[in-house]
Amino acid sequence: MIKFPPKRLTLCMASSLLAVFHMSASADSNIELPRGGWRNSGGEAAGFKQPVHYPASSVNAEGQNEMTLIKGRISTNNKKKPGKLIVNGAAMPLAIGEGGEFSRPYSFSSGSNNVEVRSPDGSEVKRVQFFDTNTSRPNARLRVVLSWDSDGTDLDLHVISPDGQHVFYGNRVVPNGGALDVDVTTGYGPEIYANTAPPKGTYHVYVNYYGSGGNEKDLTIARVAIISQEGTLSEKQQSFQVPMRKPGELTLVKSFTYP
């Protein structure tokens, strides 16, 4: 006769096994870069303009110095949804590979920085904080971050500065210092505009619903975050959400004055 353990014991054993499994999964999750603690980026320039390859499959991080990378692994059972990346309070989607790996170039400010990565279902959260003592590297005094909530769609960020210079995927770097990083064509984003010495005056932020992968019925929600004076006591963050209903739609999301 086969004797089964008491129900309570069975439940305890199951709970223990689940706990072991969860700890094992959590142990596999980590933020490899950036490393926590004190560091000095040593004058390494962090280019806002990152390599782009077509057809695009993901945000490209090749050739980047480790001081300008967010990299690691997060446990996930849902490969069809992005994770969430939060850098210094600004949230954006994070593409996650089949094995839970992620990699994203980012130009950090000197001083204190915080990075948080969340799995798609929120069950795994990893955080790291570091302080960059290198004050010689210019910081982005203005960032505009575009992200959106659907896969297989292409939204484009357009920023027009007070001097009339227009930054978008076809004109990614302009003489006044403004630049757009990766042009993400495969969904979620983010696309980031940054300027280390933004001209004073009125800026206009547009989002273009460039394409929906052939499904013209897809509605996607664009999220635009505007961060000014990042890393200073005068830092200000604003975020806006706008529904994008059909390909070809160009929407003025926000006009604002800097500083």
Side-chain angles (χ1 to χ4, degrees), residues 217-259:
K217 295 182 180 179
D218 278 352
L219 170 71
T220 186
I221 304 298
R223 184 179 188 274
V224 173
I226 300 171
I227 306 107
S228 60
Q229 303 300 325
E230 185 178 54
T232 73
L233 294 176
S234 302
E235 179 176 322
K236 181 180 179 181
Q237 291 195 20
Q238 307 174 72
S239 62
F240 309 89
Q241 294 191 96
V242 178
M244 306 296 291
R245 295 178 175 83
K246 60 182 179 179
E249 184 178 46
L250 179 66
T251 301
L252 174 63
V253 175
K254 182 67 176 177
S255 294
F256 65 95
T257 302
Y258 178 90

Side-chain angles (χ1 to χ4, degrees), residues 15 18 22 56 63 66 88 101-102 122 148 154 156 160 170 181 194 207 209 211 220-221 247 249 256 259:
S15 298
L18 285 172
H22 179 73
E66 68 173 30
N88 297 330
E101 67 278 0
F102 59 84
W148 56 100
D154 183 7
D156 289 317
I160 301 176
D181 70 354
V207 174
Y209 192 168
T220 186
I221 304 298
E249 184 178 46
F256 65 95

Side-chain angles (χ1 to χ4, degrees), residues 63-82:
Q64 293 299 309
N65 182 278
E66 68 173 30
M67 294 291 185
T68 67
L69 277 179
I70 298 171
K71 181 180 180 182
R73 186 180 303 274
I74 195 79
S75 298
T76 177
N77 292 321
N78 192 337
K79 306 296 193 300
K80 295 183 179 180
K81 290 187 177 182

Side-chain angles (χ1 to χ4, degrees), residues 138-160:
N139 291 332
R141 290 304 179 210
L142 178 63
R143 289 190 201 266
V144 181
V145 181
L146 166 67
S147 58
W148 56 100
D149 68 349
S150 59
D151 196 6
T153 53
D154 183 7
L155 268 61
D156 289 317
L157 177 63
H158 294 249
V159 177
I160 301 176

